[in-house]
Structures are given as structure tokens and as C-alpha cells.
Amino acid sequence: MKKMQLEICCGTTCYMMGANRLLYIENEVPPELRGKFEVKALPCMGLCNDKNLSGAPYVKLNGIIIENATIEKICDKMRAMLDD
Amino acid sequence: MIRFVRAFHNSSLETELDHFPVEMRPRQDHSSRCCIYHDRAVIKYRLMNLLGFSCEEETDEARTLASYYKEAIAREKPADIADKLPLSVCEAGCSECPSSKVVITGNCRGCFSRPCMYSCPKGAISVVNQVSTIDYTKCIKCGKCTSVCPYHAIVKTTVPCEDACPTGAIHKDNDGHTRINMEKCISCGNCFAKCPFSAILERSQILDVLKALKNNEKVVAMIAPAAASQIAGTIEQLFTAVSKLGFTDVIEVALGAEDTTAHEAEEFRDKMNSGAKLMTTSCCPAYVELVRKFVPDFMQYVSSTPSPMIFAAEIARREHPGCKVVFIGPCVAKRVEAARKNIDFVLSFEELFAMLAGKNIDVISCEPWPIPRPAITTARNFAKSCGVTEAVISELGGFKDDFKLEAKAINGIDKKTVAMLKMYAAGKIPANFLEVMCCPGGCVNGPCSLKK
């Protein structure tokens, strides 16, 4: 199966608001998700200027934006994606 | 904080400030505390500190943030920190944790082996009605019983700020509110870093720096070596990003650390050759303050070499006469040192990043800054524990001396440090060079650093 693509915004705002911890997500995920995704760090995606979104840090999972991303939130989305 | 910077650049801070708490916690929103009004009050106090006022300075609770802003923007120099603390307690944010206590919970099964009773050094535990009971007149809160109970039935409740304070400067007043005792506080920032409610705030100078930059004053940024561990990009990219904020120049504090190393090595040789038995480092301001306030007799052993920040400021002022200097680092105590030693401003990394984000400057998209003369690695390593020692050892390598350097390090100040220093002074621990870092691991783990 193709690995999920997890893009983590490392712009100044996202990095300060917690992306620095998200970069280590591979060490934190539960066993069933291990090896199922690839992490990529990106420069600012410009999402922090979008008033309709709720807040940094932002990540994209297979192109879908996750706002206020935390490791739990990302894991939940990954599980949902695997189930589909 | 980012919002604050953006509003400043739009010149709308004065009108917007009082709306911030409401906009950040609108009516339909969930509150993190009991209600949104409580949240808003805490945000107001945070903004007050961002303007440079401590919560304790508040005399009129109805005073608007706009009025604080007017006072802040009119001042020539940042709010006085030398005589007052850089830290302030936000009463509204403090959860008033109950004082530390060892408690026997419902998990106690009244077992027959009774390890809690036998491990207690004070005989404070007895079994009443088949349940262990603590006699609080005898309990010294050592916590030994908590680790031996097979049912994990005994817990020690903690007060994070009090437990983190190495000097006992933080205490509760009769109302249960936390207070910081100015006489005892060494501004190490441990309480600030450990409070899970972030109720301890730093009085910021960010507005003063923003104002100076806006007025096109000559301002030089001095970046502490610990920055390398804080950013996504390289240190060179960070320098470019910082220069885009409008600073005249950006220099490494590590250049100052080279001077500190040279002076400190020379001072060490002089002292050893004239028969001194011990010398300690002096670049950690919280440690120097600890000695000054608690073991004044020990001051004779503390090196008189100025810290890297001071040397870096000299370099900056030599290259840009008449400039103002800003130290940017992970340290609370540096704010006090800076105020005493004529450094114009201090910013934390968090404040710097807010300034960058407020201007939409992305560090990892920046071109690398051509650093004219990069600092040597040993100087950059000042930020980690034992870094100073290594630098001094490599500096001493060029000399042939009769004495041998025996280095020891205190890596992180805690409640036992004062006793340790006394042991060193009495010669009970063999060493002639002692490095003391207030934060475990060194400045890279400073109270205002991001990675924690």
C-alpha cells in the first residue's frame, strides 16, 4: 500500500506553536500506524494568514489540512484514512 | 503575541488591545477555565506583561490596556527590571494548588506487610481501622512511603512552582495565592517554566524593541548560541530572518564567548599560580545571583570575567557606535543581568519568533546570512552544560603550567546546590574549576526555550 504523505509546516508560526514537536511524530505513534506514513517538513504554506482556519500548527495529510494539529489529531485522521 | 506584533505594525495596537481578550475568547467559544470571562482576564494580564507591566503593579483593575499602552509607548527606557523582578504572578491564572502533602488514597488495602509504616523515617504512619493513616505533625513529606506501596495508594501532591524553585522564594500567602519573594528570587525562571497553568509571566520588552526598530534607531541583535536548537532552519538563515526585522546588524553572542574563554582561562592561570584553590564560571547570571544572595562568602571563587553577552555588546558597540543592543536568548535571569550591565533590551526566543511571524518572515525560506567571521565551535557550545569547561580546557592547552585542571560541573541548580557550593568551598570535593549552569543541560534547556 502507498504510504500516507504527512506534510508538516515548519514556518515560523507553526514551528513556534508546536510543529517542532510534531516533527518527531514517528517516535510517538501507536504501533499500528508505524511505517504507514512519510513525514516531510515544508516551509510556510501560508495557511496562518487564512482567517477561516482556526490556528497553527498546520499539517497536511495526503493534501487534507489539519488545523491546530496535535499528534493525537493526526493519528485519528490517519486511522480514519486507513479504514476507508 | 503574533497578533500583538501585527497590530503594532498596523499602528492599531492602542485601539485593538482591549478587544484582544474578547476576540480570543468570543462568547460561543469553549473556555479553558471556569468561564470565558476568567480566560479573558488572564489574557488581559498576559497582554499587560507583554507591555512591560507586572501584574503586581496593577492598582486599578478597570484601567484599560490602551492606557497601559500609552504609558508604555511613551517611556524612554524599558520598565525597570534591575530593582524589580522580571517575573510576575498572574493571580487570575494561578490555580492555587493546595500545598504539597502526602496523601493516602482509597487504594490502601491495609495490607499486613505495611511497607509504608516501616519505610517512614519519622514513624508518622500508623494503621487505624485497617487503613494507613499519616500523622501530619510528624510527616516531613519525604515521599518514601509513596514509592514502596504495592498498590500505589500513597501520592504526594505537588506545587510545581514551589518544587521547582531552588531558593524557596516562592510561597503561598494566607489566601492561597502564590507570591514571589524578591529578596530570595534569583530569576532562574524555573517556576515560569514549570507552572502548568502558565500563571507566572515575564515582563516583556518586546514593545520597546518594536518601537526602536520602527523609529529607525540603530539596533543590533545579539543571538545567543542556544538558538541553534530552537529553529527549523540553520543559524545562518535565522540571522537573515532577524536582519529582515530591521536590525542594523546581527551578531553571534558566541563571539563574546570567545573573549570570555580567553579571559577566563587567563584568570584561572593567574588564580592557580597565586595559590587559589578553586574558581567557578560566571556566565550563568542566575548562579551568580544565587551566590550573591545565599553564599556571599563564595563570591571570591566566582570568576570576575564578564559574560559572553557583555563582550558581544562591546563588539557591537565598537562596530556600530551609538547603537542599542538587544540580547536574544532563552534566559530569564539575563534580563536582570542586562538591566544592571547596560544592555538595552532582552528578548526571549519566543518573542523573537513572534516578531518574525508577525512580519510573515519564514526562517527556512531565508537565504543564509554571510557571517563574516563565524564563532569557533567551542564558543558556540557555551550553551550546553560543560561547554565552558571544554572551551577553557582547549584554551589552556597552549600553556604549560604546574597545576592540573580538575573540572567538575553543577548541571542544574536545585534546592541542594547551596549545600554543594559550601562543600566545594570547604575543599571536600576535589576540583579547582567548577562550572555551574542553572538549567539542567545548559542554556539550551533555558526557561524560555521552545523545545521542552
Side-chain angles (χ1 to χ4, degrees):
Chain A
M1 202 183 79
K2 208 168 154 256
K3 284 189 176 180
M4 288 182 278
Q5 297 296 316
L6 180 67
E7 296 170 310
I8 300 178
C9 177
C10 286
T12 312
T13 310
C14 288
Y15 195 76
M16 179 175 149
M17 299 298 283
N20 55 348
R21 275 184 222 130
L22 298 180
L23 286 172
Y24 299 101
I25 186 168
E26 277 166 319
N27 307 333
E28 310 266 337
V29 293
E32 76 265 22
L33 292 174
R34 243 164 249 168
K36 299 265 168 72
F37 62 93
E38 266 173 5
V39 175
K40 206 172 151 197
L42 288 188
C44 182
M45 304 195 269
L47 297 169
C48 40
N49 291 325
D50 190 335
K51 288 255 157 60
N52 298 321
L53 296 173
S54 66
Y58 293 104
V59 303
K60 278 184 181 171
L61 184 61
N62 282 351
I64 300 165
I65 299 170
I66 305 178
E67 310 159 33
N68 278 318
T70 58
I71 289 180
E72 291 82 62
K73 253 191 190 175
I74 298 173
C75 288
D76 287 347
K77 282 266 156 81
M78 282 184 186
R79 281 192 206 101
M81 231 170 237
L82 284 177
D83 289 344
D84 284 345
Chain B
M1 215 188 264
I2 298 170
R3 204 180 253 245
F4 181 93
V5 177
R6 286 205 176 126
F8 179 85
H9 290 309
N10 297 334
S11 309
S12 58
L13 197 52
E14 187 180 340
T15 46
E16 276 185 34
L17 257 181
D18 285 291
H19 296 273
F20 277 8
V22 182
E23 281 167 19
M24 289 172 75
R25 284 289 180 275
R27 239 177 225 182
Q28 61 277 17
D29 207 29
H30 296 291
S31 62
S32 336
R33 294 176 182 80
C34 61
C35 58
I36 51 167
Y37 307 102
H38 193 167
D39 282 355
R40 287 179 189 171
V42 174
I43 295 172
K44 185 193 160 181
Y45 287 111
R46 301 187 83 89
L47 289 166
M48 228 176 106
N49 275 267
L50 216 49
L51 292 168
F53 299 93
S54 72
C55 305
E56 288 83 355
E57 278 173 282
E58 179 184 63
T59 47
D60 175 10
E61 218 182 309
R63 188 174 169 190
T64 58
L65 287 167
S67 125
Y68 281 114
Y69 171 78
K70 268 191 213 148
E71 189 184 329
I73 203 81
R75 66 183 170 218
E76 289 287 309
K77 275 183 159 182
D80 185 18
I81 280 186
D83 295 327
K84 292 185 199 153
L85 285 179
L87 295 170
S88 103
V89 183
C90 171
E91 245 177 55
C94 177
S95 131
E96 292 161 28
C97 314
S99 355
S100 176
K101 197 175 171 188
V102 179
V103 185
I104 298 189
T105 67
N107 279 356
C108 173
R109 306 187 54 79
C111 64
F112 294 158
S113 67
R114 292 178 190 166
C116 53
M117 212 169 117
Y118 297 112
S119 70
C120 181
K122 293 286 171 187
I125 299 183
S126 53
V127 177
V128 182
N129 295 335
Q130 282 116 48
V131 179
S132 293
T133 314
I134 297 175
D135 178 352
Y136 288 107
T137 56
K138 291 182 185 162
C139 175
I140 53 162
K141 303 179 200 170
C142 67
K144 282 200 171 121
C145 50
T146 61
S147 57
V148 294
C149 174
Y151 301 105
H152 305 290
I154 311 180
V155 290
K156 190 176 172 188
T157 60
T158 57
V159 184
C161 59
E162 281 185 24
D163 291 349
C165 181
T167 62
I170 243 179
H171 62 97
K172 305 260 171 199
D173 65 9
N174 294 335
D175 307 331
H177 295 307
T178 294
R179 294 267 176 272
I180 302 176
N181 182 344
M182 258 190 72
E183 311 291 313
K184 286 186 176 174
C185 178
I186 57 167
S187 310
C188 64
N190 278 351
C191 54
F192 164 81
K194 291 285 158 62
C195 175
F197 287 92
S198 300
I200 296 174
L201 306 174
E202 266 190 302
R203 286 163 61 200
S204 174
Q205 301 177 348
I206 190 168
L207 186 73
D208 305 271
V209 177
L210 286 168
K211 192 177 86 180
L213 291 175
K214 199 172 193 177
N215 295 343
N216 285 324
E217 289 178 43
K218 266 208 245 172
V219 191
V220 176
M222 310 189 291
I223 307 217
S229 69
Q230 295 286 304
I231 44 167
T234 62
I235 195 98
E236 287 82 4
Q237 285 176 315
L238 177 70
F239 276 35
T240 309
V242 174
S243 71
K244 282 189 183 170
L245 288 171
F247 288 101
T248 316
D249 196 3
V250 190
I251 65 167
E252 281 185 87
V253 173
L255 287 178
E258 291 179 359
D259 291 345
T260 300
T261 313
H263 272 79
E264 199 145 321
E266 200 180 309
E267 187 186 352
F268 181 69
R269 291 184 61 228
D270 284 352
K271 281 196 167 166
M272 289 304 128
N273 287 330
S274 61
K277 54 181 178 174
L278 177 69
M279 186 178 103
T280 83
T281 54
S282 63
C283 37
C284 175
Y287 157 63
V288 177
E289 198 71 0
L290 177 84
V291 174
R292 205 174 65 82
K293 286 189 171 169
F294 293 90
V295 249
D297 294 346
F298 200 74
M299 210 63 200
Q300 54 174 313
Y301 302 116
V302 179
S303 153
S304 58
T305 303
S307 73
M309 173 174 77
I310 310 292
F311 279 120
E314 276 178 18
I315 298 173
R317 287 183 174 134
R318 202 159 53 228
E319 288 177 11
H320 305 277
C323 72
K324 288 190 169 171
V325 287
V326 189
F327 174 85
I328 303 172
C331 184
V332 177
K334 277 280 186 242
R335 290 181 190 271
V336 179
E337 189 194 353
R340 291 215 181 101
K341 302 273 171 68
N342 197 21
I343 304 293
D344 300 285
F345 311 110
V346 176
L347 288 180
S348 69
F349 287 136
E350 195 187 0
E351 289 161 343
L352 173 71
F353 296 150
M355 283 171 70
L356 292 172
K359 271 208 156 181
N360 295 327
I361 299 171
D362 191 23
V363 178
I364 49 175
S365 317
C366 284
E367 293 290 313
W369 174 267
I371 298 181
R373 193 181 72 76
I376 53 173
T377 313
T378 47
R380 285 185 175 172
N381 282 348
F382 257 53
K384 65 173 205 216
S385 186
C386 295
V388 187
T389 312
E390 282 166 19
V392 170
I393 289 176
S394 76
E395 184 81 16
L396 282 174
F399 299 102
K400 286 208 162 40
D401 288 305
D402 297 337
F403 59 83
K404 204 167 150 265
L405 181 137
E406 276 182 68
K408 281 261 164 41
I410 295 185
N411 180 11
I413 291 181
D414 57 24
K415 292 186 164 69
K416 291 174 193 147
T417 305
V418 170
M420 284 290 280
L421 290 179
K422 285 182 179 156
M423 302 252 289
Y424 277 105
K428 291 198 175 141
I429 306 175
N432 52 18
F433 186 86
L434 176 66
E435 177 186 308
V436 189
M437 285 283 198
C438 177
C439 299
C443 309
V444 284
N445 279 331
C448 312
S449 60
L450 290 185
K451 273 182 193 160
K452 270 198 301 251

